[in-house]
Amino acid sequence: MVMNAILNRKSVRKYSGRQIDDTVLEKILEAGRLAPSWVNVQPWKFVVVRAQETKDLLCEACGGQNQVKNAQVVICCVADLDSWNKTHFGKVLAQKGLDESTIDGIVTSRLLNPSTLGEYETLLRSVEQLTYAVSYMTLVAEEQGVGCCIVGAMANELTKTSDEMVQKVKEKLGLNNRQVLVDLLTLGYEENSGQTKKLRKAVEEVVFYETIK
């Protein structure tokens, strides 16, 4: 059940040496691919990293977070800003059976296409959409018994730290200047399994009906 995965999911940062089977990894990636997105734009790409050299570089870019270099697999979750242009977005919309006039209306809409508003808005909306895919992958990882940690603190266009490191990572992953590395999912089987108490705000602090009081 999805709710069981939500209840049991936790950030796992210490991994055993057990390898992740390809079929298990494919299920996790498929969850990301099938995630919902605004008008089905799917503004994401996932780069699967197993090579230790690359994991070491990503660890450095993340300020030395050891779960990155020690993970069996790291999924690099990338926001692809070009997904919103007419070439790519239009192709997706055409696959839905929409006619050219409807496609033009969506692609040029300030409400439906953030690229008509500017670079910041496009990045903001792309990051929002990518979080759906990230969430889906973490839940399927939990379902498959694989420990996972979401790492978002890193040198990238969002934190604006170390342009040199940003370029090193982009070159290593084959990213262009319209592709932004937003999150890393570090994957591995937990070294010492155990329950973790979830500390969350009380319902009345986050849930309101009709208006926030």
Side-chain angles (χ1 to χ4, degrees), residues 2-55:
V2 175
M3 185 54 74
N4 286 337
I6 292 172
L7 290 171
N8 294 324
R9 192 218 66 81
K10 60 184 179 181
S11 294
V12 176
R13 295 180 174 86
K14 293 186 177 180
Y15 310 107
S16 69
R18 180 182 171 189
Q19 297 294 312
I20 298 175
D21 188 80
D22 285 345
T23 58
V24 172
L25 179 59
E26 287 167 5
K27 288 179 181 179
I28 295 171
L29 291 165
E30 183 70 351
R33 188 182 74 87
L34 294 176
S37 60
W38 196 352
V39 204
N40 200 34
V41 66
Q42 306 165 69
W44 49 56
K45 294 187 184 300
F46 310 119
V47 182
V48 178
V49 172
R50 293 184 185 270
Q52 192 59 54
E53 179 184 355
T54 306
K55 289 189 290 186

